[in-house]
Amino acid sequence: MSKDAIAKIMEKYAGGERDSLIPLLQEIQDVEGYLSRKQVEEIGKLLKLPTGKIYGVATFYNQFRFKPQGRYHVQVCRGTACHVKGSAAVLDAIEKDLNIKSGETDRKGDFSLEVVACIGACGLAPVISVNGEFHAGVIPKDIPRILNGYRDTEVQNEQNR
Amino acid sequence: MFKIEVNNRIIEAEAGETILSTLKRANIHVPTLCHMEGLLPTGACRLCVVEVEGMNGLIPSCSYPVREGLKIYTNSPRAVRARKTIIELLLANHPDDCLYCVRNKSCQLQDLAEEYGVRERRLSAEKNEYTIDQTSPSIVRDQAKCILCGKCVRVCEEIQNIGAIDFAGRGSKTVISTAFNENLNVSSCINCGQCILVCPTGALREKSYLKEVRDALSDPEKHVVVQHAPSISVTIAEEFGAKSGIDVDGMLVTAFRQIGFDRVFDTSFSADLTIMEEASELVHRITTGGKLPMMTSCSPGWIKYIEQSYPEMTDHLSTCKSPQQMLGAVIKSYYAEKHNIKPENIYSVSVMPCVAKKFEIQRPGMGENNIFDVDAVISTREAARLIKMYGIDFKNLPSGASDTPFGERTTAGKLFGGSGGVMEAALRTAYFMITGKEMESLKVEAVRGQEGIKEAKITIGKLEASVAVVNGIGNAEKLLEQIKGGRDDLAFIEVMTCPGGCIAGGGQPLNTDKDKIKSRLGALYKIDQTENVRVSHKNKDIKRLYDEYLGEPLGEKSHHLLHTHYMKREVLK
């Protein structure tokens, strides 16, 4: 499925030049979940760009990843409002609970963690988002409860499979 | 032409040029760490800022076009203060181990700190932890000393068209990185070392083998021989403060002898040998319908490039080893036998203008049974360091001559040091091989000079051959694409990896620029003009080598010792 989708995207950008790079990376990441090394090399051939250049562009932006995300992708807002309301402590609590740092994925592939500049929900500060689901007014004490909720769902999903 | 006013002086300016180039012409110095002659300005370092009357901010002179009536102050208190602050900021997270740095006394950042009187660490920033990348046989990368001027990235991408490195990350975490932050040895780096030449600090340097060489020199068991490439004698004097374009061949030989090398050979001798083999191969390919155009194989950066980017075209490459490897091979065979020395006791050093030569000696097929053609390569810069270290008064040395049995070299071999030289030498000998006569005029003007791509039509007897000479990999790629696209008129192509050829190689003195390349080339042409033996096939020592040992060009022994093969290379490109 995703292979076809990627082939389609690559076809769409055939003959493209360097200005196609960012939209192409975005579309690939939407399908793959991250930018694999193999795909970056393919993109390099397609747009006639050195992989080092693509790596440089992709590392400039927070949105691009070179490792697969976890099944639950946790985004912690570190924008101004969230910062004032104590998001640093929230981030700390999440890193401790998951035992990973921002930008990493845990060993089982369940959780990945990302720090974002602003989620655009300052009224709910401090806010975190898990797979797009927002949790408002989070304090460090809430973290185990929130994350365990996803762990339970994952166990159920596992049993249903 | 119009006039502008600089520091209350009137100078001439030309429409379309930048303030910086106008100032340069008038010998008004403004510092810069990121400007590169011939490339578009990036305005990255901001050191070239000047004050322009009537304008609010300071103006980066490298990117601002001159116009009539400008009133410029290059050293106003404001401009000087801004520059000093920039230097202090660059130093804020820079290691202060200058004493131990390979660029001590040749560092542009150090020079500027001195010029602007930085006497204390006023600003201090958190230092990032970096590991030094030692994986390449040619180039060492020390990110901690990088000031992010971007010159290495630009020379790699815009001149060489390789793009092995680029800026990665953002803000204070920005680094110069290979793709996926991999080690340099698995990247598409072709080891040319042009990045070292442009690096203002010690962030990029050659992998040094001086310690190994000194260990061998002090080992009584070892018979230590040295060869020096054709271009070394016209560049190394610059390392001792001389102006560019001075040939110190004889002094260089004496210096090596005084250091304690048991034999001193000249790679120009084996350049003549390369010509005998390569011209024979060319004639053979032309007369038997072999793969054309044939391409030269002396430049190891170019070889790696074609192996990784055009593996389907490696059969165009001449199978000849480079002169360095050929001399290495005959030293450990013919010379060893003749003088009854065990090859394993010979330590063979070569002094090269090139850091890719350090990579070349490790290639498969460059030696056998754990006896390598060449044991260590040092650059021109390292050789100068070695000479200084041994306390040799270079400026007052008497002249010496190369040792037998490889004592003679022709000016054709010497020409190998510059772009077009291999072609010129090969044409002279190929002409003789085909017609039995010497060329009427040995000088082939069309292949000389610094032009990126040079082409010529040569009439050899009844044969009309088109040849091309390329320097800089970006230019080589253009030609390869033409050939891939069906161009079939060319018979022979010379490629040198570095712009200008070996005289501007990655191992040459720092601050190599177009003017210096011109005078270094001029020195080679002068040698060719003033000496008598100008064709490789008239080298008596070459004749003797074939008579006593090799037999004939392309013969069995030659094939075994002097030729090699190529492979497809997988790299992250």
Side-chain angles (χ1 to χ4, degrees):
Chain A
M1 238 291 276
S2 84
K3 238 183 179 175
D4 290 349
I6 284 175
K8 240 184 211 157
I9 297 167
M10 296 292 277
E11 207 171 295
K12 188 170 114 191
Y13 285 95
E17 295 194 6
R18 59 199 300 160
D19 56 348
S20 314
L21 179 60
I22 290 174
L24 175 53
L25 289 174
Q26 283 170 325
E27 288 184 40
I28 295 287
Q29 182 165 287
D30 277 346
V31 177
E32 270 198 315
Y34 72 113
L35 299 172
S36 68
R37 189 179 280 219
K38 191 177 150 284
Q39 204 53 43
V40 168
E41 287 186 55
E42 290 303 319
I43 292 169
K45 279 181 207 155
L46 187 77
L47 302 182
K48 296 193 173 62
L49 286 173
T51 42
K53 171 118 303 203
I54 301 173
Y55 181 77
V57 169
T59 52
F60 185 86
Y61 298 99
N62 281 345
Q63 60 173 304
F64 295 115
R65 290 179 296 274
F66 297 100
K67 283 184 201 146
Q69 273 180 1
R71 275 175 284 278
Y72 297 96
H73 185 58
V74 184
Q75 290 177 309
V76 181
C77 180
R78 290 284 288 124
T80 313
C82 289
H83 173 73
V84 170
K85 294 281 221 167
S87 63
V90 173
L91 175 64
D92 208 35
I94 297 173
E95 286 184 339
K96 278 204 182 111
D97 189 293
L98 295 177
N99 202 17
I100 55 173
K101 291 256 179 283
S102 169
E104 295 177 349
T105 303
D106 71 3
R107 279 195 201 176
K108 283 163 73 189
D110 284 343
F111 288 98
S112 50
L113 179 59
E114 182 187 3
V115 169
V116 291
C118 181
I119 265 174
C122 305
L124 308 176
V127 63
I128 70 168
S129 146
V130 182
N131 285 2
E133 195 174 14
F134 280 33
H135 297 264
V138 180
I139 55 171
K141 217 173 65 187
D142 297 341
I143 294 300
R145 181 181 49 79
I146 296 171
L147 295 177
N148 283 336
Y150 293 103
R151 289 194 179 103
D152 292 343
T153 322
E154 189 52 27
V155 171
Q156 273 173 18
N157 287 348
E158 196 95 324
Q159 282 163 357
N160 293 344
R161 264 179 230 141
Chain B
M1 290 288 251
F2 52 85
K3 287 180 175 30
I4 61 168
E5 194 186 308
V6 182
N7 305 339
N8 303 318
R9 215 176 101 194
I10 305 290
I11 63 170
E12 295 270 340
E14 235 169 281
E17 68 179 357
T18 62
I19 294 178
L20 186 69
S21 13
T22 310
L23 295 177
K24 214 171 218 174
R25 230 175 337 95
N27 281 325
I28 299 169
H29 179 68
V30 171
T32 158
L33 285 172
C34 70
H35 182 69
M36 296 180 84
E37 212 64 67
L39 296 184
L40 284 173
T42 58
C45 77
R46 317 308 283 182
L47 274 170
C48 67
V49 287
V50 294
E51 197 154 356
V52 177
E53 200 169 276
M55 294 183 76
N56 275 329
L58 292 167
I59 302 299
S61 61
C62 70
S63 54
Y64 199 86
V66 278
R67 57 186 155 76
E68 203 157 358
L70 279 185
K71 268 190 171 173
I72 296 167
Y73 301 94
T74 65
N75 289 312
S76 73
R78 208 169 143 215
V80 170
R81 195 166 59 237
R83 281 183 215 140
K84 189 171 176 186
T85 305
I86 292 166
I87 297 160
E88 288 178 318
L89 284 165
L90 287 173
L91 289 172
N93 69 349
H94 196 86
D96 41 14
D97 61 350
C98 294
L99 272 176
Y100 306 101
C101 182
V102 67
R103 293 290 294 271
N104 190 19
K105 292 162 79 186
S106 62
C107 169
Q108 289 175 32
L109 184 59
Q110 191 187 44
D111 289 350
L112 283 170
E114 159 64 18
E115 276 169 36
Y116 281 79
V118 179
R119 286 284 172 266
E120 59 174 338
R121 188 182 278 280
R122 192 161 65 90
L123 307 160
S124 189
E126 206 175 305
K127 288 193 172 73
N128 296 317
E129 291 284 331
Y130 299 112
T131 40
I132 298 178
D133 184 353
Q134 302 256 24
T135 57
S136 160
S138 307
I139 299 166
V140 178
R141 295 177 63 227
D142 184 356
Q143 200 64 237
K145 289 179 178 161
C146 176
I147 58 164
L148 298 170
C149 67
K151 285 165 94 172
C152 54
V153 172
R154 299 195 76 197
V155 79
C156 193
E157 183 181 342
E158 295 176 42
I159 306 283
Q160 298 297 52
N161 216 356
I162 301 289
I165 44 173
D166 209 322
F167 288 95
R170 189 181 57 207
S172 64
K173 294 197 173 65
T174 308
V175 289
I176 305 295
S177 168
T178 56
F180 299 99
N181 200 18
E182 280 290 351
N183 288 330
L184 199 59
N185 63 333
V186 293
S187 74
S188 56
C189 170
I190 55 165
N191 305 61
C192 71
Q194 285 295 310
C195 54
I196 301 176
L197 283 189
V198 296
C199 183
T201 71
L204 287 161
R205 53 186 187 257
E206 72 271 305
K207 172 82 79 64
S208 179
Y209 295 86
L210 275 186
K211 188 185 175 300
E212 287 79 354
V213 171
R214 281 164 51 216
D215 286 350
L217 282 166
S218 56
D219 184 344
E221 300 288 303
K222 292 279 180 210
H223 182 79
V224 190
V225 302
V226 65
Q227 59 168 302
H228 56 99
S231 62
I232 308 296
S233 75
V234 298
T235 59
I236 198 166
E238 292 171 38
E239 290 286 294
F240 296 92
K243 66 175 175 46
S244 52
I246 295 173
D247 178 39
V248 291
D249 194 62
M251 291 154 83
L252 189 60
V253 172
T254 307
F256 289 139
R257 223 165 252 149
Q258 289 191 0
I259 285 171
F261 287 103
D262 294 301
R263 290 289 183 279
V264 182
F265 300 128
D266 186 343
T267 316
S268 313
F269 163 83
S270 53
D272 284 332
L273 183 58
T274 304
I275 286 304
M276 295 306 289
E277 294 291 328
E278 198 158 351
S280 306
E281 186 184 355
L282 179 63
V283 172
H284 180 77
R285 286 193 192 209
I286 290 174
T287 50
T288 61
K291 193 82 180 176
L292 290 175
M294 187 172 91
M295 300 174 184
T296 57
S297 55
C298 306
S299 189
W302 150 246
I303 299 296
K304 180 166 187 267
Y305 173 72
I306 201 161
E307 286 180 328
Q308 70 191 30
S309 292
Y310 292 88
E312 71 281 7
M313 293 175 85
T314 48
D315 54 352
H316 285 277
L317 290 172
S318 159
T319 60
C320 289
K321 284 183 185 174
S322 70
Q324 160 177 278
Q325 297 301 134
M326 283 198 182
L327 190 50
V330 294
I331 286 171
K332 291 207 179 172
S333 55
Y334 170 68
Y335 170 76
E337 280 175 38
K338 203 175 162 79
H339 293 268
N340 213 5
I341 306 167
K342 282 189 188 148
E344 57 267 36
N345 285 344
I346 297 179
Y347 192 85
S348 185
V349 179
S350 67
V351 179
M352 291 287 138
C354 175
V355 291
K357 290 280 168 192
K358 295 170 189 267
F359 156 79
E360 186 182 46
I361 62 169
Q362 300 182 355
R363 285 183 62 92
M366 298 300 181
E368 55 188 1
N369 305 328
N370 234 8
I371 292 173
F372 301 100
D373 290 347
V374 176
D375 295 291
V377 176
I378 58 173
S379 66
T380 313
R381 299 186 294 267
E382 289 173 274
R385 254 175 257 152
L386 189 72
I387 292 170
K388 288 174 190 167
M389 203 184 289
Y390 276 76
I392 286 158
D393 180 14
F394 193 78
K395 285 174 197 156
N396 297 308
L397 287 178
S399 189
S402 298
D403 283 304
T404 52
F406 311 128
E408 184 173 335
R409 62 126 183 87
T410 72
T411 66
K414 197 71 186 166
L415 284 178
F416 263 60
S419 170
V422 180
M423 176 60 70
E424 201 166 337
L427 287 176
R428 292 176 186 179
T429 293
Y431 188 96
F432 179 79
M433 283 175 173
I434 292 172
T435 64
K437 283 184 288 196
E438 298 295 345
M439 281 169 88
E440 240 166 71
S441 162
L442 291 174
K443 183 174 163 188
V444 188
E445 187 65 52
V447 300
R448 292 191 172 191
Q450 286 189 61
E451 197 71 38
I453 302 179
K454 295 166 276 190
E455 296 195 18
K457 271 200 168 59
I458 311 288
T459 315
I460 306 178
K462 279 174 253 163
L463 194 80
E464 179 132 303
S466 290
V467 297
V469 171
V470 189
N471 60 86
I473 293 298
N475 294 320
E477 187 185 333
K478 285 179 202 153
L479 205 59
L480 286 175
E481 283 299 322
Q482 288 175 13
I483 291 163
K484 253 182 118 171
R487 185 173 174 190
D488 60 359
D489 61 316
L490 293 168
F492 188 34
I493 300 173
E494 175 207 289
V495 182
M496 292 195 189
T497 305
C498 294
C502 310
I503 41 152
Q508 292 286 27
L510 302 163
N511 306 320
T512 292
D513 60 28
K514 288 220 153 172
D515 290 338
K516 286 189 180 144
I517 297 175
K518 195 176 167 197
S519 46
R520 293 170 187 172
L521 270 177
L524 292 177
Y525 298 149
K526 195 175 149 205
I527 294 168
D528 183 53
Q529 202 186 337
T530 48
E531 290 183 22
N532 291 328
V533 189
R534 298 174 65 197
V535 291
S536 302
H537 51 273
K538 282 207 178 142
N539 184 326
K540 290 196 197 77
D541 286 336
I542 292 281
K543 263 194 194 133
R544 189 174 58 190
L545 176 61
Y546 277 108
D547 289 345
E548 288 185 9
Y549 195 71
L550 291 172
E552 53 177 4
L554 307 184
E556 201 193 317
K557 214 152 205 169
S558 290
H559 180 77
H560 178 66
L561 284 172
L562 309 181
H563 289 256
T564 188
H565 54 270
Y566 310 104
M567 58 187 175
K568 185 180 171 168
R569 243 173 230 279
E570 295 289 347
V571 297
L572 253 177
K573 53 166 195 292

